[in-house]
Structures are given as structure tokens and as C-alpha cells.
Amino acid sequence: MPNETQVDQPNPPMISFDSSILRHEHNIPAQFIWPDHERPSPDPPPELHVPPIDMGAFLSGDPVAVSNATRLVNEACKKHGFFQVINHGVSLELISEAHKNMDLFFGMSLPEKMRAERKNGEHCGYASSFTGRFSSKLPWKETMSFGYCDDRDRSLSMVEDYFLSKLGEDFTQFGVFQDYCEAMSSLSLGIMELLGVSLGVGPSHFRDFFKGNDSIMRLNYYPPCQKPDLILGTGPHCDPTSLTILHQDDVGGLQVFVDGKWHSIPPRSDAFVVNIGDTFMALSNGMYKSCLHRAVVNNETARKSLAFFLCPKLDKVDGL
């Protein structure tokens, strides 16, 4: 599960985060206000150079394409751990359907979403800011997380079954996230081939390690805030998982801390943003970086993103 900057509080005061109400508030509750030195700058940050990697060309085996892709990903991962993939083989129709259903979920009333409430100690479920876990520096967001397993015997309808068990038989449309997770798992194994080649250990080295992965999918919703300069959608953190594959909507907000300052990664509808997590940094013996990043919000438009966190099979032992 992605790392958070707050420290768990034993008995935090309960705060209701109902985005349909708070998005219009000018008096931001103190629990959401961040210290001055951590707040986003009012000035637009510089853009981070995040190279687009042509996955189709790499997987075709063309020597020139393979050489170019491995060089670009090696340079980016040694510097900050972020790159983009294009020509990735995931249909735009599937991505669009996933976004539509994410809109549908977060458009539900708070009591409806709370039927899938994430319990303390669990990784899956709906979280309304994290108001039950922390009492300060709360993120201005809602999330819905669920597990996915790359094991055909276990995962044929794992995601769909989860939504039906939490929300009921009227929500079969959320089965689209089963298809989306399968596409993300397949894409992640291709990316692992790329990372293996770029690190000089061959295409099957990491791909085989992550077959049968037990991963986490997360839907992120960042409502508008009338005082966006006081809060953060997600605080600065590094992902403790192996690899994150992110699809942003057309509202910017992702920022990465490189060379002592924050940089933005603008949305690109035909690309996925990929970043190295702590686990893969360890697997690469520290050669590839897991970099600090955060999400900012604005006062006009909600921002949404789809995040797939690749993790090894739960009983996997590192014998690399």
C-alpha cells in the first residue's frame, strides 16, 4: 500500500469528509491544512522530463527500438524513477470505461460509498480522506482500493466479486475494473521485461518474478478546494510497492521532487505514467530510484486517476 507521511494517532477525532460539501467550503478545517513549508507553491512548477517509451516497438524485438527504449528508461530510472509508456496495447475504450465507472463510483452519495468502507488494518475498501486514521495533515481526497491476483484459478472474477459483495448486485458495471486490472498486469510484465534488459539481467528475469502477482488497484478522487494553496491532495511519499502504473485524467496535479524542487508531470491521455517503488529499488540494488512525489488540487475541477500498484505474489521469496 502506498506510503503516507502522517503518523497513526491512537484516538484521532472523527471528521466527516463529504466532498460534495467540502468542495464549496472557504473555511478549510484545520486538520486538512499543511504547514507552510509543505504547501504547494502558487507558481506553476517546471515540467519534469519524463521520456515516452514505445512499448510496442520494444516488444517487437527490433534492435534499434530495444536499444533506444532501454537507454531512455535506464537514464530516467537512475535519475528519478519516472517514465511514460505509449503504444502500450491497452485499448483507449477500456481506459475510457474505467474512467467513466470511476466517475460513477465517486458520484455516489457518501453513505453509499461507505458501504465499502476500508477497515483499520486493511488495504482494500473506500477511504474518505483517512479521517479515521490521522488527525492532522489530512489528504484532500477519496480513494477506493481493491486487490487483484494474476492467477487464473483465483482471479477470474475477483474484482467484480469484491464490488458485488460490498455494494450489491446492482453494481455489476464495476466489473470493468477486472478487465482493467488484467490489462495492467499484462502491461506490467512487459515493463518488467524492459527493466530487466535495461539492467542487463535479461527480459525474463523480473517478468518471471512478478508472474502471479498479488497487486493493488486504487481509484483516486481529488475534489476541488476553495483554498488549494493550503492543502495537498496526497502528501509527499514514495511508493513502497514495486511498480506503479498511473493513468491521469486531463486535470494536472502530479508532482515529483527532483534536484531539490517540485516538478509537474502533465497528463497525456495516450500514455501511462510509470514509477519505480521501494521494493523494485531494492531489487535493482539501489540503481533505480523510488522518488518522492505528491498530488496537488485546484479550486475549479476535480482530478481523478487510476493507479495499479504491482506487487509480487504474497508468498514470493526473493531468490534473485
Side-chain angles (χ1 to χ4, degrees), residues 74-289:
N74 186 273
E75 291 174 355
C77 289
K78 284 181 175 177
K79 183 170 179 60
H80 48 63
F82 277 78
F83 57 97
Q84 297 184 87
V85 292
I86 58 173
N87 191 19
H88 40 66
V90 183
S91 76
L92 296 181
E93 291 79 12
L94 177 58
I95 296 172
S96 176
E97 281 301 308
H99 275 279
K100 286 179 183 177
N101 280 278
M102 177 166 54
D103 292 345
L104 179 63
F105 177 81
F106 288 118
M108 294 163 59
S109 69
L110 183 58
E112 288 179 302
K113 289 179 286 192
M114 290 296 286
R115 289 158 65 184
E117 182 182 11
R118 175 172 146 189
K119 306 300 183 184
N120 286 338
E122 295 181 355
H123 290 166
C124 296
Y126 169 74
S128 177
S129 181
F130 295 132
T131 54
R133 291 177 57 199
F134 307 118
S135 60
S136 65
K137 296 201 297 185
L138 292 177
W140 193 266
K141 68 175 180 179
E142 299 175 61
T143 62
M144 179 62 192
S145 306
F146 45 94
Y148 169 79
C149 177
D150 180 36
D151 183 333
R152 298 301 295 177
D153 294 333
R154 294 171 53 198
S155 69
L156 282 176
S157 59
M158 177 180 179
V159 174
E160 182 176 1
D161 290 346
Y162 177 78
F163 275 99
L164 293 180
S165 70
K166 295 296 183 180
L167 301 177
E169 295 296 327
D170 293 335
F171 295 91
T172 56
Q173 65 269 37
F174 292 135
V176 69
F177 294 119
Q178 177 78 36
D179 297 333
Y180 188 85
C181 286
E182 290 172 0
M184 291 300 98
S185 180
S186 178
L187 175 59
S188 69
L189 295 181
I191 293 172
M192 281 299 163
E193 287 191 29
L194 171 61
L195 294 176
V197 173
S198 71
L199 285 165
V201 295
S204 63
H205 193 76
F206 294 118
R207 182 187 178 95
D208 290 347
F209 185 77
F210 285 96
K211 281 182 179 178
N213 61 83
D214 283 295
S215 297
I216 300 168
M217 181 72 208
R218 177 167 295 169
L219 318 179
N220 295 306
Y221 176 71
Y222 303 93
C225 177
Q226 296 306 310
K227 300 286 182 64
D229 55 324
L230 301 181
I231 60 98
L232 286 172
T234 298
H237 68 284
C238 295
D239 296 340
T241 48
S242 298
L243 195 75
T244 302
I245 305 177
L246 181 78
H247 194 272
Q248 307 184 75
D249 65 6
D250 58 1
V251 181
L254 175 61
Q255 296 184 352
V256 184
F257 195 70
V258 181
D259 296 331
K261 58 185 176 183
W262 290 102
H263 296 71
S264 68
I265 300 183
R268 179 172 170 173
S269 62
D270 66 335
F272 290 97
V273 177
V274 182
N275 68 274
I276 301 298
D278 293 346
T279 303
F280 193 84
M281 182 168 69
L283 290 174
S284 72
N285 288 327
M287 290 182 63
Y288 284 0
K289 307 303 180 187

Side-chain angles (χ1 to χ4, degrees), residues 46-65:
E47 290 186 15
L48 182 66
H49 174 61
V50 184
I53 309 296
D54 188 329
M55 285 300 298
F58 168 77
L59 293 173
S60 74
D62 175 73
V64 174

